[in-house]
Amino acid sequence: MIDPRNPHADQMAHESMIRTLFAQAHAIWPQEERLYARYNLPPDCRIADIGCGSGEITSRLALMYERATVIGIDILQSSVAYASRRYAALAPRLRFEQGDAFALALESGQIDLVVCRHMTQSIPEPEKALAELCRICKPRGWLHVLSEDYGMLHMMAGRLDPDRLWQEGAIPFGRNTGVDLRVGRRTWTLLHELGIEELHVDYVTVDTVRVARATFAAMIEAWRDGYVDAIGARTALPSADARALFDYIIASIRNPDHYAVWQIPIVSGRKPAA
C-alpha cells in the first residue's frame, strides 16, 4: 500500500537514491552555496534541513557554518541511520532525526534557516509541508527551498525524443501517485501565499557546460535505476521504452558533441516579523 504522506517511499529507499543525492550534490552545490551569503546568519545560528535524505547537503551546511547547530530530518529511518553513521564526526553539533515534514517535532519560531531540497516534488500537498517550514522558522529567519520541475529538463532529440520520457513518463508518474513533478514553477506562489517576504528565485543550471558530464550522467543513471520500473507500472509509458529513453539521454550527456540542461529553481524568502 502506498503511504499517502510519502507515495515515493519505495523509490526514496532504493539504493539508487544514495547515488542520486551524491551526484546531485556534486552538480548543484558549487552554484548553490553562494546563495547562503544572502541570509547573513549569525555564527551560532540554528539550521534545519527538512527531507535531508543521505545528509549530503546537511553536512555541507554544518561545515559552512562552523558554530551552527544543524539538524537533518527525514521520514525514512534508513536515511537517518545512513547519514548519522556517515557524518558521525560532526556530532553533536550536527544530528539527524526521523520526522514527518507535515508535523515536525520542533518548536515554533526557533530556526534561523530552514532548508528543504528535492522534497516538494515527492509529496502531496506541498503547501502544508511548506507551512510547517514556516512555523519552525524564526521571525525574520529564512526559508531556502530547492523545488524540482521535470518540465525544465531539455536534451537533444535524435533517434529518440527525450521529451517523451518527461512528458509521458515522469510527469504522469507524479500525477498518478498524487504529487506534482512540476512544482518548481509554482513554489514562489506557494511561499507568497504563506506570507513569506523578500522572495527570491535563483536558478541552478545543471548542464554539460557547468557540470562534469560524468556527474550529470551518473545522476540520470541513478534516476533510471530507481524509477524505470515504477514508471512502467504507473503510466502508459512501458518500462522498456522508459529504459531506452533513459539510456539515450545518458549517452547524449556523455557525447561531447551534445548539450543537455536541467534548470532547477531555488526559492528563498524571510518569515515576517512576529
Side-chain angles (χ1 to χ4, degrees):
M1 179 180 294
I2 291 179
D3 182 346
R5 289 283 183 96
N6 188 20
H8 295 184
D10 289 345
Q11 289 74 46
M12 296 300 167
H14 192 273
E15 64 81 19
S16 63
M17 187 52 61
I18 298 294
R19 292 185 280 124
T20 293
L21 295 175
F22 180 82
Q24 286 179 165
H26 281 268
I28 294 168
W29 181 253
Q31 296 176 57
E32 181 183 2
E33 63 178 330
R34 63 180 174 79
L35 300 178
Y36 290 92
R38 173 184 294 150
Y39 311 142
N40 195 26
L41 299 178
D44 58 348
C45 60
R46 297 184 67 186
I47 300 172
D49 183 8
I50 309 304
C52 66
S54 61
E56 288 283 351
I57 299 304
T58 330
S59 64
R60 285 168 168 79
L61 291 168
L63 292 170
M64 175 184 286
Y65 297 99
E66 296 178 351
R67 290 169 50 190
T69 300
V70 184
I71 182 171
I73 296 177
D74 199 88
I75 196 169
L76 294 179
Q77 182 58 46
S78 58
S79 296
V80 170
Y82 174 90
S84 298
R85 289 193 307 271
R86 184 172 181 188
Y87 302 109
L90 293 171
R93 193 170 60 82
L94 170 63
R95 73 184 195 277
F96 296 91
E97 294 182 1
Q98 184 178 21
D100 183 347
F102 292 93
L104 293 165
L106 295 174
E107 295 182 13
S108 298
Q110 299 298 309
I111 307 298
D112 295 283
L113 172 64
V114 184
V115 175
C116 180
R117 306 173 72 265
H118 304 294
M119 188 184 81
T120 52
Q121 85 289 344
S122 66
I123 58 173
E125 300 180 299
E127 63 276 7
K128 292 184 178 180
L130 293 174
E132 268 292 273
L133 305 189
C134 185
R135 179 186 67 78
I136 67 172
C137 188
K138 281 184 178 179
R140 304 306 293 159
W142 286 89
L143 275 67
H144 176 103
V145 183
L146 186 155
S147 200
E148 295 183 11
D149 191 314
Y150 284 72
M152 297 184 184
L153 282 143
H154 305 286
M155 287 80 183
M156 291 173 58
R159 178 177 57 84
L160 299 178
D161 185 351
D163 288 353
R164 186 179 175 219
L165 178 60
W166 317 120
Q167 294 171 3
E168 298 182 26
I171 292 169
F173 172 73
R175 183 168 57 248
N176 294 340
T177 53
V179 305
D180 179 8
L181 265 68
R182 292 181 291 183
V183 69
R185 68 191 65 188
R186 64 186 182 97
T187 300
W188 184 95
T189 296
L190 296 177
L191 291 176
H192 176 68
E193 290 173 348
L194 288 169
I196 300 301
E197 300 175 344
E198 299 180 44
L199 280 167
H200 300 263
V201 180
D202 297 279
Y203 282 87
V204 168
T205 301
V206 174
D207 70 351
T208 48
V209 173
R210 295 164 180 83
V211 174
R213 289 179 182 271
T215 299
F216 197 174
M219 184 180 75
I220 304 296
E221 287 172 349
W223 287 1
R224 176 198 63 197
D225 297 344
Y227 281 90
V228 69
D229 290 336
I231 287 172
R234 305 286 299 193
T235 76
L237 184 66
S239 293
D241 288 14
R243 182 175 295 277
L245 287 161
F246 271 118
D247 289 344
Y248 176 87
I249 290 168
I250 293 162
S252 179
I253 289 171
R254 292 186 178 278
N255 184 339
D257 296 325
H258 284 197
Y259 178 78
V261 59
W262 183 24
Q263 295 281 0
I264 307 170
I266 297 178
V267 187
S268 61
R270 289 187 103 166
K271 181 176 177 178

